[in-house]
PDB file of all heavy atoms in Angstrom:
ATOM      1  N   GLN A1335       4.655  26.115 -24.751  1.00 82.00           N
ATOM      2  CA  GLN A1335       4.010  24.885 -25.230  1.00 82.00           C
ATOM      3  C   GLN A1335       5.023  24.015 -25.971  1.00 82.00           C
ATOM      4  O   GLN A1335       5.056  22.783 -25.828  1.00 82.00           O
ATOM      5  CB  GLN A1335       2.820  25.224 -26.122  1.00 82.00           C
ATOM      6  CG  GLN A1335       1.616  25.799 -25.399  1.00 82.00           C
ATOM      7  CD  GLN A1335       0.833  24.771 -24.618  1.00 82.00           C
ATOM      8  OE1 GLN A1335       1.249  23.606 -24.535  1.00 82.00           O
ATOM      9  NE2 GLN A1335      -0.285  25.165 -24.054  1.00 82.00           N
ATOM     10  N   ARG A1336       5.856  24.662 -26.782  1.00 87.00           N
ATOM     11  CA  ARG A1336       6.893  23.902 -27.494  1.00 87.00           C
ATOM     12  C   ARG A1336       7.884  23.280 -26.510  1.00 87.00           C
ATOM     13  O   ARG A1336       8.345  22.136 -26.695  1.00 87.00           O
ATOM     14  CB  ARG A1336       7.626  24.810 -28.489  1.00 87.00           C
ATOM     15  CG  ARG A1336       6.789  25.222 -29.693  1.00 87.00           C
ATOM     16  CD  ARG A1336       7.650  25.868 -30.770  1.00 87.00           C
ATOM     17  NE  ARG A1336       8.252  27.099 -30.310  1.00 87.00           N
ATOM     18  CZ  ARG A1336       7.700  28.302 -30.431  1.00 87.00           C
ATOM     19  NH1 ARG A1336       6.488  28.414 -30.994  1.00 87.00           N
ATOM     20  NH2 ARG A1336       8.297  29.394 -30.001  1.00 87.00           N
ATOM     21  N   LEU A1337       8.237  24.057 -25.464  1.00 83.00           N
ATOM     22  CA  LEU A1337       9.159  23.524 -24.463  1.00 83.00           C
ATOM     23  C   LEU A1337       8.554  22.329 -23.746  1.00 83.00           C
ATOM     24  O   LEU A1337       9.230  21.335 -23.484  1.00 83.00           O
ATOM     25  CB  LEU A1337       9.524  24.628 -23.465  1.00 83.00           C
ATOM     26  CG  LEU A1337      10.484  24.234 -22.339  1.00 83.00           C
ATOM     27  CD1 LEU A1337      11.803  23.722 -22.880  1.00 83.00           C
ATOM     28  CD2 LEU A1337      10.714  25.412 -21.390  1.00 83.00           C
ATOM     29  N   LEU A1338       7.240  22.398 -23.442  1.00 83.00           N
ATOM     30  CA  LEU A1338       6.582  21.284 -22.769  1.00 83.00           C
ATOM     31  C   LEU A1338       6.572  20.052 -23.688  1.00 83.00           C
ATOM     32  O   LEU A1338       6.824  18.928 -23.229  1.00 83.00           O
ATOM     33  CB  LEU A1338       5.163  21.671 -22.393  1.00 83.00           C
ATOM     34  CG  LEU A1338       4.327  20.578 -21.755  1.00 83.00           C
ATOM     35  CD1 LEU A1338       4.972  20.094 -20.454  1.00 83.00           C
ATOM     36  CD2 LEU A1338       2.898  21.058 -21.475  1.00 83.00           C
ATOM     37  N   ALA A1339       6.266  20.260 -24.981  1.00 88.00           N
ATOM     38  CA  ALA A1339       6.251  19.134 -25.916  1.00 88.00           C
ATOM     39  C   ALA A1339       7.625  18.495 -26.002  1.00 88.00           C
ATOM     40  O   ALA A1339       7.779  17.245 -26.045  1.00 88.00           O
ATOM     41  CB  ALA A1339       5.786  19.592 -27.273  1.00 88.00           C
ATOM     42  N   GLN A1340       8.692  19.308 -26.041  1.00 88.00           N
ATOM     43  CA  GLN A1340      10.053  18.799 -26.101  1.00 88.00           C
ATOM     44  C   GLN A1340      10.376  17.999 -24.839  1.00 88.00           C
ATOM     45  O   GLN A1340      10.954  16.897 -24.903  1.00 88.00           O
ATOM     46  CB  GLN A1340      11.034  19.936 -26.268  1.00 88.00           C
ATOM     47  CG  GLN A1340      12.490  19.508 -26.252  1.00 88.00           C
ATOM     48  CD  GLN A1340      13.446  20.687 -26.290  1.00 88.00           C
ATOM     49  OE1 GLN A1340      13.054  21.809 -26.596  1.00 88.00           O
ATOM     50  NE2 GLN A1340      14.707  20.452 -25.971  1.00 88.00           N
ATOM     51  N   THR A1341       9.979  18.534 -23.686  1.00 84.00           N
ATOM     52  CA  THR A1341      10.264  17.837 -22.429  1.00 84.00           C
ATOM     53  C   THR A1341       9.539  16.515 -22.338  1.00 84.00           C
ATOM     54  O   THR A1341      10.088  15.517 -21.897  1.00 84.00           O
ATOM     55  CB  THR A1341       9.869  18.753 -21.250  1.00 84.00           C
ATOM     56  OG1 THR A1341      10.560  19.989 -21.344  1.00 84.00           O
ATOM     57  CG2 THR A1341      10.200  18.091 -19.913  1.00 84.00           C
ATOM     58  N   LYS A1342       8.278  16.501 -22.800  1.00 85.00           N
ATOM     59  CA  LYS A1342       7.527  15.242 -22.801  1.00 85.00           C
ATOM     60  C   LYS A1342       8.168  14.223 -23.724  1.00 85.00           C
ATOM     61  O   LYS A1342       8.202  13.016 -23.430  1.00 85.00           O
ATOM     62  CB  LYS A1342       6.085  15.482 -23.209  1.00 85.00           C
ATOM     63  CG  LYS A1342       5.254  16.191 -22.148  1.00 85.00           C
ATOM     64  CD  LYS A1342       3.817  16.371 -22.607  1.00 85.00           C
ATOM     65  CE  LYS A1342       2.957  16.994 -21.505  1.00 85.00           C
ATOM     66  NZ  LYS A1342       1.567  17.180 -21.929  1.00 85.00           N
ATOM     67  N   GLY A1343       8.686  14.705 -24.881  1.00 88.00           N
ATOM     68  CA  GLY A1343       9.381  13.788 -25.794  1.00 88.00           C
ATOM     69  C   GLY A1343      10.619  13.193 -25.159  1.00 88.00           C
ATOM     70  O   GLY A1343      10.892  11.985 -25.271  1.00 88.00           O
ATOM     71  N   GLU A1344      11.416  14.035 -24.497  1.00 85.00           N
ATOM     72  CA  GLU A1344      12.614  13.550 -23.823  1.00 85.00           C
ATOM     73  C   GLU A1344      12.236  12.581 -22.686  1.00 85.00           C
ATOM     74  O   GLU A1344      12.944  11.577 -22.480  1.00 85.00           O
ATOM     75  CB  GLU A1344      13.401  14.738 -23.268  1.00 85.00           C
ATOM     76  CG  GLU A1344      13.973  15.638 -24.363  1.00 85.00           C
ATOM     77  CD  GLU A1344      14.544  16.922 -23.794  1.00 85.00           C
ATOM     78  OE1 GLU A1344      14.372  17.159 -22.571  1.00 85.00           O
ATOM     79  OE2 GLU A1344      15.169  17.690 -24.562  1.00 85.00           O
ATOM     80  N   LEU A1345      11.151  12.869 -21.986  1.00 82.00           N
ATOM     81  CA  LEU A1345      10.702  11.969 -20.932  1.00 82.00           C
ATOM     82  C   LEU A1345      10.301  10.625 -21.524  1.00 82.00           C
ATOM     83  O   LEU A1345      10.626   9.557 -20.945  1.00 82.00           O
ATOM     84  CB  LEU A1345       9.508  12.589 -20.196  1.00 82.00           C
ATOM     85  CG  LEU A1345       8.862  11.738 -19.104  1.00 82.00           C
ATOM     86  CD1 LEU A1345       9.864  11.405 -17.997  1.00 82.00           C
ATOM     87  CD2 LEU A1345       7.645  12.460 -18.513  1.00 82.00           C
ATOM     88  N   GLY A1346       9.629  10.628 -22.667  1.00 86.00           N
ATOM     89  CA  GLY A1346       9.262   9.371 -23.306  1.00 86.00           C
ATOM     90  C   GLY A1346      10.474   8.522 -23.698  1.00 86.00           C
ATOM     91  O   GLY A1346      10.455   7.295 -23.531  1.00 86.00           O
ATOM     92  N   VAL A1347      11.517   9.187 -24.180  1.00 87.00           N
ATOM     93  CA  VAL A1347      12.733   8.449 -24.542  1.00 87.00           C
ATOM     94  C   VAL A1347      13.352   7.816 -23.292  1.00 87.00           C
ATOM     95  O   VAL A1347      13.787   6.646 -23.304  1.00 87.00           O
ATOM     96  CB  VAL A1347      13.743   9.386 -25.236  1.00 87.00           C
ATOM     97  CG1 VAL A1347      15.095   8.705 -25.415  1.00 87.00           C
ATOM     98  CG2 VAL A1347      13.194   9.822 -26.608  1.00 87.00           C
ATOM     99  N   LEU A1348      13.444   8.583 -22.212  1.00 84.00           N
ATOM    100  CA  LEU A1348      14.016   8.048 -20.971  1.00 84.00           C
ATOM    101  C   LEU A1348      13.190   6.874 -20.446  1.00 84.00           C
ATOM    102  O   LEU A1348      13.739   5.871 -19.982  1.00 84.00           O
ATOM    103  CB  LEU A1348      14.094   9.146 -19.917  1.00 84.00           C
ATOM    104  CG  LEU A1348      15.117  10.269 -20.174  1.00 84.00           C
ATOM    105  CD1 LEU A1348      14.961  11.351 -19.109  1.00 84.00           C
ATOM    106  CD2 LEU A1348      16.529   9.712 -20.158  1.00 84.00           C
ATOM    107  N   ILE A1349      11.869   7.010 -20.498  1.00 88.00           N
ATOM    108  CA  ILE A1349      11.027   5.922 -20.021  1.00 88.00           C
ATOM    109  C   ILE A1349      11.200   4.675 -20.868  1.00 88.00           C
ATOM    110  O   ILE A1349      11.257   3.534 -20.368  1.00 88.00           O
ATOM    111  CB  ILE A1349       9.549   6.367 -19.992  1.00 88.00           C
ATOM    112  CG1 ILE A1349       9.339   7.429 -18.913  1.00 88.00           C
ATOM    113  CG2 ILE A1349       8.631   5.190 -19.766  1.00 88.00           C
ATOM    114  CD1 ILE A1349       7.951   8.036 -18.869  1.00 88.00           C
ATOM    115  N   GLN A1350      11.333   4.866 -22.199  1.00 85.00           N
ATOM    116  CA  GLN A1350      11.528   3.717 -23.086  1.00 85.00           C
ATOM    117  C   GLN A1350      12.838   3.004 -22.770  1.00 85.00           C
ATOM    118  O   GLN A1350      12.889   1.761 -22.718  1.00 85.00           O
ATOM    119  CB  GLN A1350      11.508   4.178 -24.549  1.00 85.00           C
ATOM    120  CG  GLN A1350      11.618   3.043 -25.554  1.00 85.00           C
ATOM    121  CD  GLN A1350      11.593   3.553 -26.983  1.00 85.00           C
ATOM    122  OE1 GLN A1350      11.698   4.747 -27.225  1.00 85.00           O
ATOM    123  NE2 GLN A1350      11.464   2.637 -27.927  1.00 85.00           N
ATOM    124  N   LYS A1351      13.888   3.771 -22.566  1.00 85.00           N
ATOM    125  CA  LYS A1351      15.184   3.156 -22.235  1.00 85.00           C
ATOM    126  C   LYS A1351      15.097   2.433 -20.893  1.00 85.00           C
ATOM    127  O   LYS A1351      15.661   1.344 -20.732  1.00 85.00           O
ATOM    128  CB  LYS A1351      16.266   4.222 -22.194  1.00 85.00           C
ATOM    129  CG  LYS A1351      16.603   4.807 -23.573  1.00 85.00           C
ATOM    130  CD  LYS A1351      17.717   5.842 -23.455  1.00 85.00           C
ATOM    131  CE  LYS A1351      18.090   6.384 -24.832  1.00 85.00           C
ATOM    132  NZ  LYS A1351      19.159   7.408 -24.755  1.00 85.00           N
ATOM    133  N   GLU A1352      14.432   3.033 -19.936  1.00 83.00           N
ATOM    134  CA  GLU A1352      14.297   2.388 -18.639  1.00 83.00           C
ATOM    135  C   GLU A1352      13.485   1.110 -18.759  1.00 83.00           C
ATOM    136  O   GLU A1352      13.792   0.106 -18.090  1.00 83.00           O
ATOM    137  CB  GLU A1352      13.629   3.354 -17.644  1.00 83.00           C
ATOM    138  CG  GLU A1352      13.392   2.773 -16.262  1.00 83.00           C
ATOM    139  CD  GLU A1352      14.668   2.372 -15.542  1.00 83.00           C
ATOM    140  OE1 GLU A1352      15.748   2.851 -15.930  1.00 83.00           O
ATOM    141  OE2 GLU A1352      14.579   1.604 -14.556  1.00 83.00           O
ATOM    142  N   GLN A1353      12.460   1.138 -19.616  1.00 84.00           N
ATOM    143  CA  GLN A1353      11.661  -0.055 -19.791  1.00 84.00           C
ATOM    144  C   GLN A1353      12.502  -1.196 -20.407  1.00 84.00           C
ATOM    145  O   GLN A1353      12.368  -2.352 -20.016  1.00 84.00           O
ATOM    146  CB  GLN A1353      10.458   0.248 -20.681  1.00 84.00           C
ATOM    147  CG  GLN A1353       9.478  -0.912 -20.840  1.00 84.00           C
ATOM    148  CD  GLN A1353       8.876  -1.332 -19.528  1.00 84.00           C
ATOM    149  OE1 GLN A1353       8.349  -0.502 -18.788  1.00 84.00           O
ATOM    150  NE2 GLN A1353       8.961  -2.624 -19.214  1.00 84.00           N
ATOM    151  N   GLN A1354      13.336  -0.813 -21.377  1.00 88.00           N
ATOM    152  CA  GLN A1354      14.214  -1.827 -21.973  1.00 88.00           C
ATOM    153  C   GLN A1354      15.165  -2.416 -20.936  1.00 88.00           C
ATOM    154  O   GLN A1354      15.441  -3.631 -20.933  1.00 88.00           O
ATOM    155  CB  GLN A1354      15.010  -1.194 -23.134  1.00 88.00           C
ATOM    156  CG  GLN A1354      14.160  -0.818 -24.325  1.00 88.00           C
ATOM    157  CD  GLN A1354      14.918  -0.017 -25.349  1.00 88.00           C
ATOM    158  OE1 GLN A1354      16.047   0.414 -25.093  1.00 88.00           O
ATOM    159  NE2 GLN A1354      14.319   0.198 -26.514  1.00 88.00           N
ATOM    160  N   ARG A1355      15.699  -1.599 -20.050  1.00 86.00           N
ATOM    161  CA  ARG A1355      16.595  -2.088 -19.010  1.00 86.00           C
ATOM    162  C   ARG A1355      15.845  -3.032 -18.052  1.00 86.00           C
ATOM    163  O   ARG A1355      16.349  -4.094 -17.673  1.00 86.00           O
ATOM    164  CB  ARG A1355      17.179  -0.911 -18.240  1.00 86.00           C
ATOM    165  CG  ARG A1355      18.293  -1.302 -17.252  1.00 86.00           C
ATOM    166  CD  ARG A1355      18.786  -0.083 -16.501  1.00 86.00           C
ATOM    167  NE  ARG A1355      17.814   0.405 -15.555  1.00 86.00           N
ATOM    168  CZ  ARG A1355      17.705  -0.081 -14.301  1.00 86.00           C
ATOM    169  NH1 ARG A1355      18.500  -1.057 -13.895  1.00 86.00           N
ATOM    170  NH2 ARG A1355      16.810   0.420 -13.497  1.00 86.00           N
ATOM    171  N   GLN A1356      14.629  -2.624 -17.702  1.00 86.00           N
ATOM    172  CA  GLN A1356      13.824  -3.471 -16.814  1.00 86.00           C
ATOM    173  C   GLN A1356      13.484  -4.807 -17.469  1.00 86.00           C
ATOM    174  O   GLN A1356      13.461  -5.851 -16.825  1.00 86.00           O
ATOM    175  CB  GLN A1356      12.540  -2.734 -16.409  1.00 86.00           C
ATOM    176  CG  GLN A1356      12.758  -1.512 -15.534  1.00 86.00           C
ATOM    177  CD  GLN A1356      13.285  -1.862 -14.154  1.00 86.00           C
ATOM    178  OE1 GLN A1356      13.158  -3.002 -13.684  1.00 86.00           O
ATOM    179  NE2 GLN A1356      13.916  -0.896 -13.503  1.00 86.00           N
ATOM    180  N   ASP A1357      13.199  -4.751 -18.796  1.00 87.00           N
ATOM    181  CA  ASP A1357      12.897  -5.991 -19.517  1.00 87.00           C
ATOM    182  C   ASP A1357      14.111  -6.949 -19.513  1.00 87.00           C
ATOM    183  O   ASP A1357      13.960  -8.169 -19.350  1.00 87.00           O
ATOM    184  CB  ASP A1357      12.479  -5.681 -20.960  1.00 87.00           C
ATOM    185  CG  ASP A1357      11.133  -4.995 -21.037  1.00 87.00           C
ATOM    186  OD1 ASP A1357      10.385  -5.025 -20.036  1.00 87.00           O
ATOM    187  OD2 ASP A1357      10.824  -4.395 -22.091  1.00 87.00           O
ATOM    188  N   ALA A1358      15.300  -6.384 -19.695  1.00 86.00           N
ATOM    189  CA  ALA A1358      16.500  -7.215 -19.690  1.00 86.00           C
ATOM    190  C   ALA A1358      16.717  -7.846 -18.314  1.00 86.00           C
ATOM    191  O   ALA A1358      17.073  -9.029 -18.177  1.00 86.00           O
ATOM    192  CB  ALA A1358      17.720  -6.370 -20.071  1.00 86.00           C
ATOM    193  N   LEU A1359      16.506  -7.077 -17.240  1.00 85.00           N
ATOM    194  CA  LEU A1359      16.631  -7.631 -15.897  1.00 85.00           C
ATOM    195  C   LEU A1359      15.596  -8.706 -15.646  1.00 85.00           C
ATOM    196  O   LEU A1359      15.885  -9.749 -15.017  1.00 85.00           O
ATOM    197  CB  LEU A1359      16.465  -6.505 -14.865  1.00 85.00           C
ATOM    198  CG  LEU A1359      17.610  -5.487 -14.767  1.00 85.00           C
ATOM    199  CD1 LEU A1359      17.243  -4.372 -13.806  1.00 85.00           C
ATOM    200  CD2 LEU A1359      18.917  -6.180 -14.348  1.00 85.00           C
ATOM    201  N   ALA A1360      14.382  -8.468 -16.148  1.00 85.00           N
ATOM    202  CA  ALA A1360      13.333  -9.464 -15.961  1.00 85.00           C
ATOM    203  C   ALA A1360      13.671 -10.750 -16.680  1.00 85.00           C
ATOM    204  O   ALA A1360      13.430 -11.872 -16.166  1.00 85.00           O
ATOM    205  CB  ALA A1360      11.993  -8.907 -16.461  1.00 85.00           C
ATOM    206  N   ALA A1361      14.254 -10.651 -17.904  1.00 83.00           N
ATOM    207  CA  ALA A1361      14.639 -11.868 -18.626  1.00 83.00           C
ATOM    208  C   ALA A1361      15.721 -12.646 -17.874  1.00 83.00           C
ATOM    209  O   ALA A1361      15.696 -13.890 -17.795  1.00 83.00           O
ATOM    210  CB  ALA A1361      15.132 -11.485 -20.015  1.00 83.00           C
ATOM    211  N   ALA A1362      16.679 -11.931 -17.275  1.00 80.00           N
ATOM    212  CA  ALA A1362      17.734 -12.591 -16.509  1.00 80.00           C
ATOM    213  C   ALA A1362      17.156 -13.296 -15.287  1.00 80.00           C
ATOM    214  O   ALA A1362      17.548 -14.436 -14.954  1.00 80.00           O
ATOM    215  CB  ALA A1362      18.786 -11.582 -16.099  1.00 80.00           C
ATOM    216  N   ARG A1363      16.248 -12.627 -14.599  1.00 80.00           N
ATOM    217  CA  ARG A1363      15.633 -13.263 -13.449  1.00 80.00           C
ATOM    218  C   ARG A1363      14.828 -14.473 -13.860  1.00 80.00           C
ATOM    219  O   ARG A1363      14.780 -15.490 -13.135  1.00 80.00           O
ATOM    220  CB  ARG A1363      14.742 -12.241 -12.721  1.00 80.00           C
ATOM    221  CG  ARG A1363      15.510 -11.213 -11.901  1.00 80.00           C
ATOM    222  CD  ARG A1363      14.592 -10.470 -10.973  1.00 80.00           C
ATOM    223  NE  ARG A1363      13.588  -9.695 -11.694  1.00 80.00           N
ATOM    224  CZ  ARG A1363      13.729  -8.430 -12.063  1.00 80.00           C
ATOM    225  NH1 ARG A1363      14.858  -7.801 -11.762  1.00 80.00           N
ATOM    226  NH2 ARG A1363      12.773  -7.823 -12.720  1.00 80.00           N
ATOM    227  N   ALA A1364      14.181 -14.365 -15.032  1.00 81.00           N
ATOM    228  CA  ALA A1364      13.382 -15.511 -15.506  1.00 81.00           C
ATOM    229  C   ALA A1364      14.256 -16.726 -15.783  1.00 81.00           C
ATOM    230  O   ALA A1364      13.886 -17.873 -15.440  1.00 81.00           O
ATOM    231  CB  ALA A1364      12.602 -15.122 -16.774  1.00 81.00           C
ATOM    232  N   ARG A1365      15.414 -16.515 -16.380  1.00 79.00           N
ATOM    233  CA  ARG A1365      16.339 -17.639 -16.610  1.00 79.00           C
ATOM    234  C   ARG A1365      16.849 -18.215 -15.317  1.00 79.00           C
ATOM    235  O   ARG A1365      16.991 -19.462 -15.173  1.00 79.00           O
ATOM    236  CB  ARG A1365      17.481 -17.175 -17.498  1.00 79.00           C
ATOM    237  CG  ARG A1365      17.081 -16.879 -18.931  1.00 79.00           C
ATOM    238  CD  ARG A1365      18.307 -16.648 -19.799  1.00 79.00           C
ATOM    239  NE  ARG A1365      19.091 -15.498 -19.357  1.00 79.00           N
ATOM    240  CZ  ARG A1365      18.903 -14.260 -19.838  1.00 79.00           C
ATOM    241  NH1 ARG A1365      17.943 -14.038 -20.718  1.00 79.00           N
ATOM    242  NH2 ARG A1365      19.645 -13.280 -19.417  1.00 79.00           N
ATOM    243  N   ALA A1366      17.132 -17.394 -14.339  1.00 72.00           N
ATOM    244  CA  ALA A1366      17.630 -17.890 -13.059  1.00 72.00           C
ATOM    245  C   ALA A1366      16.568 -18.682 -12.322  1.00 72.00           C
ATOM    246  O   ALA A1366      16.876 -19.592 -11.542  1.00 72.00           O
ATOM    247  CB  ALA A1366      18.109 -16.707 -12.203  1.00 72.00           C
TER     248      ALA A1366
END
């Protein structure tokens, strides 16, 4: 259970970083 909680936490961090990257790309497309 602890391993699952740790993995979900790491997954959340990766998703957050990916979301930030997608937001930056979306802003660039919006300016273009």
Side-chain angles (χ1 to χ4, degrees):
Q1335 289 285 5
R1336 289 192 297 270
L1337 180 58
L1338 177 60
Q1340 176 185 345
T1341 303
K1342 287 182 176 179
E1344 294 171 352
L1345 177 61
V1347 171
L1348 290 174
I1349 291 175
Q1350 183 180 12
K1351 291 181 177 179
E1352 178 63 18
Q1353 186 61 52
Q1354 292 172 351
R1355 188 181 72 86
Q1356 293 293 339
D1357 291 344
L1359 290 175
R1363 285 193 297 267
R1365 290 190 298 268

